[in-house]
Amino acid sequence: MTTQFPAMDDNPRRDEGAQPADDVVSILREQHVRIRTLFGAVKGAQGDRRKESFDELRGLLAVHETAEEMVVRPVAKKTAGEKEAEARNSEEKEANKVLAQLEKMDLSSSEFETQFAQFEQDVLAHAEHEELKEFPALVAGCTPEQRQAMGRRVVSAERIAPTHPHPTAAGSPAMQWTLGPFASLLDRARDAFTGQRN
């Protein structure tokens, strides 16, 4: 990784104080830590291990971003502002396109290595923006009970979210709600058939 983002691993609950485990901010921060770990696992592995780590990363990113767009982004428009929410949606749409490209590549190729390195940098910068802008706004603008309810909705959304990138729906909460459940059914059937992690 060329750029370090200490907020993602040094203290995932800085600035806002400790929140309950089911608080949406806690859930998303913990997922950011897992995403960072999986980036390292993909880079440090070869062959089947690399594919397993990439499949896990791909699945986590797909469900994580879908849940953010469906549950968090509409609230963030009110707490962090429409410009901030739209910027995060736009980044997620672009990340979804790149993830779809990476998924089709030979994971041992130099092309994959190069594109994956840039993808990692972009995803971690995106997560850093969320942690610096969106999450503090959620803490300031929502009660603990509201954030816990959002956390439960995020977990529920992730259970039915697509496990592969779908660029046509990415970046749009309305499209995620419309196409997401159908895409999820297809993805999960494909994962079961191919034995991929989701």
Side-chain angles (χ1 to χ4, degrees):
M1 182 169 82
T2 57
T3 305
Q4 293 294 317
F5 296 94
M8 291 182 65
D9 58 343
D10 289 350
N11 183 358
R13 294 184 181 139
R14 73 173 197 277
D15 297 337
E16 294 92 30
Q19 288 106 19
D22 61 348
D23 184 294
V24 68
V25 172
S26 295
I27 291 167
L28 297 176
R29 282 185 182 279
E30 292 302 321
Q31 289 179 354
H32 286 177
V33 170
R34 182 69 185 141
I35 288 165
R36 185 175 188 275
T37 300
L38 285 169
F39 271 114
V42 172
K43 290 187 307 185
Q46 297 297 323
D48 289 345
R49 272 307 284 148
R50 175 174 271 193
K51 179 166 178 14
E52 289 171 14
S53 295
F54 178 77
D55 285 346
E56 185 177 351
L57 175 64
R58 181 254 317 138
L60 177 56
L61 285 171
V63 299
H64 173 83
E65 291 178 357
T66 298
E68 282 184 334
E69 290 172 20
M70 292 171 80
V71 177
V72 176
R73 225 35 58 63
V75 177
K77 274 188 175 183
K78 297 173 188 166
T79 61
E82 190 164 342
K83 184 177 177 182
E84 179 65 27
E86 290 305 320
R88 301 297 75 80
N89 280 341
S90 178
E91 290 166 358
E92 287 175 357
K93 185 171 184 65
E94 184 58 34
N96 210 280
K97 290 178 188 173
V98 176
L99 189 57
Q101 293 168 359
L102 288 167
E103 188 175 32
K104 296 173 186 170
M105 290 182 183
D106 174 355
L107 274 60
S108 63
S109 69
S110 60
E111 181 186 15
F112 175 84
E113 298 274 351
T114 301
Q115 192 155 347
F116 187 77
Q118 182 61 55
F119 179 67
E120 176 185 29
Q121 189 172 352
D122 293 344
V123 168
L124 297 184
H126 168 79
E128 180 75 358
H129 283 119
E130 289 177 338
E131 292 187 357
L132 292 175
K133 303 280 187 181
E134 241 180 8
F135 296 175
L138 290 173
V139 170
C142 300
T143 67
E145 294 76 19
Q146 288 170 322
R147 292 194 315 273
Q148 286 175 303
M150 287 175 67
R152 290 188 295 274
R153 288 195 304 271
V154 160
V155 170
S156 294
E158 288 177 346
R159 286 189 188 118
I160 61 164
T163 60
H164 292 265
H166 291 275
T168 55
S172 168
M175 289 293 284
Q176 293 289 14
W177 281 106
T178 303
L179 299 178
F182 301 108
S184 177
L185 287 173
L186 295 173
D187 286 354
R188 290 170 195 275
R190 178 171 114 183
D191 292 344
F193 183 74
T194 62
Q196 288 185 354
R197 293 185 72 153
N198 51 27

